């Protein structure tokens, strides 16, 4: 394991069980203040990376009342983690094991986990196999039922192939793909989203994920029934749970959210107004909702 100091966090490299190098950001904060509180561990979506959580991680790690250590992980093939030569290893089982490996390397026995989209699917697997590591869980626009229209949307925009040459073009592409769903965002918010999704290479924005991950979406048989994860969801039964749903989400319906709350009494449900899939967690009143949810943990 190696690390480098960056603004507000340590940038670290951890070896996965198969030797692949995984990148994490460790927002340690004031260790004397955070050591007695469970850390927050963040898992991003399918092609997203740890930068999605930067603003939220800074808010939580530097909270004046109850600061917490925050970990954000780049899954294999995303962000600053290495690409896997064996593309079949971009799967939920391997990625769940990578989370456990990262926790072991960082000395984390239990954490409050935030999972956005695919990151939340990973948490479903951990709920079934290692619920002891889950102090509490926040599922960001994901649940045990995936809507075909939402999967089609993700498949289509990931495989349109248009690559930006400038940052203005990056923002333009994001607006074209997501503008109808993210009506609450202003110009600065779209710029923030672009800087989270794209990395700067020679001054140009470059999407930070292995193209094989987007290509996997092309092979989805959306004519066949999509297996649900209700059996795995049962693993959350004794774990405090919060579900954040984008008001305009096509992947997680209100009906599924209601069923999740019915099956898990005490679930905290938060609607991200004017947002789609997946909500930006540092936007609007969402940070306050997250703070309130974790305040007693």
């Amino acid at each position: 394991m190696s690390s480098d100091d960056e603004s507000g966090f340590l940038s670290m490299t951890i070896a996965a069980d198969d030797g692949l190098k995984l990148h994490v950001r460790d927002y340690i904060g004031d260790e004397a203040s955070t050591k007695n509180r469970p850390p927050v561990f963040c898992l991003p979506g399918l092609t997203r990376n740890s930068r999605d959580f930067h603003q939220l991680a800074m808010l939580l790690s530097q909270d004046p009342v109850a600061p917490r250590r925050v970990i954000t992980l780049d899954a294999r093939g995303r962000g600053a983690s290495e690409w896997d030569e064996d593309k079949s290893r971009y799967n939920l089982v391997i990625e769940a094991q990578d989370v456990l490996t990262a926790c072991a390397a960082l000395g984390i026995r239990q954490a409050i986990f935030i999972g956005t989209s695919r990151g939340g699917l990973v948490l479903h697997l951990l709920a079934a196999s290692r619920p002891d590591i889950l102090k509490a869980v926040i599922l960001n626009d994901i649940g045990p039922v995936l809507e075909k229209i939402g999967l089609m949307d993700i498949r289509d925009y990931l495989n349109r192939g248009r690559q930006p040459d400038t940052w203005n073009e990056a923002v333009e592409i994001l607006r074209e793909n997501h503008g109808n769903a993210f009506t609450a965002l202003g110009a600065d918010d779209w710029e923030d989203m672009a800087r989270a999704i794209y990395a700067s290479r020679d001054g140009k924005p470059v999407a930070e994920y292995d193209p094989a991950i987007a290509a996997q979406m092309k092979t989805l048989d959306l004519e066949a029934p999509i297996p649900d994860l209700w059996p795995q969801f049962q693993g959350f039964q004794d774990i405090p749970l919060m579900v954040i749903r984008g008001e305009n989400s096509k992947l997680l319906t209100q009906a599924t959210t209601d069923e999740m709350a019915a099956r898990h009494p005490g679930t905290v449900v938060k609607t991200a107004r004017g947002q789609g899939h997946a909500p930006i967690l540092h936007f609007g009143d969402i940070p306050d909702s997250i703070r309130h949810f974790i305040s007693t943990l």
Side-chain angles (χ1 to χ4, degrees):
M1 183 168 65
S2 61
S3 63
D4 295 298
D5 284 304
E6 296 196 36
S7 178
F9 59 89
L10 289 175
S11 183
M12 312 179 75
T13 300
I14 294 170
D17 289 355
D18 58 4
L20 186 138
K21 293 179 181 178
L22 300 170
H23 173 255
V24 301
R25 289 182 170 195
D26 191 347
Y27 297 78
I28 297 174
D30 178 11
E31 293 184 71
S33 300
T34 63
K35 66 179 181 179
N36 293 322
R37 298 187 184 92
V40 175
F41 200 118
C42 304
L43 306 176
L46 178 66
T47 59
R48 305 291 280 265
N49 61 76
S50 57
R51 289 194 302 279
D52 271 346
F53 298 102
H54 176 68
Q55 288 94 326
L56 179 67
M58 293 294 286
L59 288 171
L60 296 180
S61 64
Q62 299 182 13
D63 186 285
V65 176
R68 291 180 187 267
R69 181 186 185 189
V70 181
I71 309 295
T72 63
L73 173 68
D74 287 337
R76 60 179 57 217
R78 291 87 159 178
S81 290
E82 286 186 332
W83 293 7
D84 201 323
E85 293 183 4
D86 181 354
K87 309 307 178 184
S88 70
R89 294 177 68 82
Y90 293 133
N91 67 68
L92 294 175
V93 174
I94 296 294
E95 289 165 28
Q97 182 55 50
D98 288 344
V99 172
L100 296 176
T101 300
C103 285
L106 295 169
I108 296 173
R109 295 183 178 181
Q110 196 175 55
I112 300 164
F113 281 86
I114 302 176
T116 294
S117 195
R118 186 180 179 93
L121 296 180
V122 169
L123 293 179
H124 277 71
L125 267 62
L126 291 177
S129 62
R130 284 291 308 277
D132 58 289
I133 204 168
L134 307 175
K135 178 69 174 178
V137 167
I138 299 174
L139 297 175
N140 184 22
D141 211 60
I142 196 68
V145 177
L146 304 179
E147 298 300 319
K148 289 184 179 180
I149 188 172
L151 291 173
M152 290 172 62
D153 211 32
I154 294 169
R155 177 197 65 190
D156 292 347
Y157 74 68
L158 286 180
N159 288 288
R160 284 186 183 129
R162 182 183 173 195
Q163 301 299 323
D165 290 321
T166 67
W167 285 102
N168 285 339
E169 284 186 11
V171 171
E172 182 181 307
I173 291 170
L174 291 178
R175 281 181 178 272
E176 288 175 1
N177 289 335
H178 307 294
N180 290 337
F182 285 84
T183 55
L185 272 58
D188 290 345
D189 303 313
W190 288 107
E191 179 73 22
D192 281 348
M193 185 187 289
R195 296 286 175 176
I197 293 175
Y198 297 97
S200 182
R201 298 284 186 271
D202 299 323
K204 291 186 176 182
V206 177
E208 272 203 313
Y209 62 86
D210 186 338
I213 296 169
Q216 283 181 344
M217 293 294 292
K218 290 183 179 179
T219 66
L220 282 180
D221 182 3
L222 296 179
E223 299 301 319
I226 301 170
D228 65 55
L229 293 175
W230 285 119
Q232 290 80 5
F233 180 82
Q234 186 65 25
F236 295 123
Q237 194 62 41
D238 297 321
I239 299 166
L241 180 66
M242 180 179 186
V243 179
I244 299 171
R245 178 181 178 268
E247 181 182 26
N248 303 318
S249 175
K250 295 180 182 179
L251 193 68
L252 178 64
T253 65
Q254 187 63 54
T256 296
T257 305
D258 292 343
E259 181 66 17
M260 293 164 74
R263 295 196 187 200
H264 188 304
T267 296
V268 175
V269 177
K270 171 67 178 176
T271 300
R273 302 294 178 191
Q275 295 206 63
H277 181 79
I280 298 168
L281 296 182
H282 61 268
F283 190 81
D285 64 351
I286 296 177
D288 286 339
S289 297
I290 291 174
R291 281 194 189 101
H292 186 264
F293 174 69
I294 68 175
S295 62
T296 60
L297 302 171

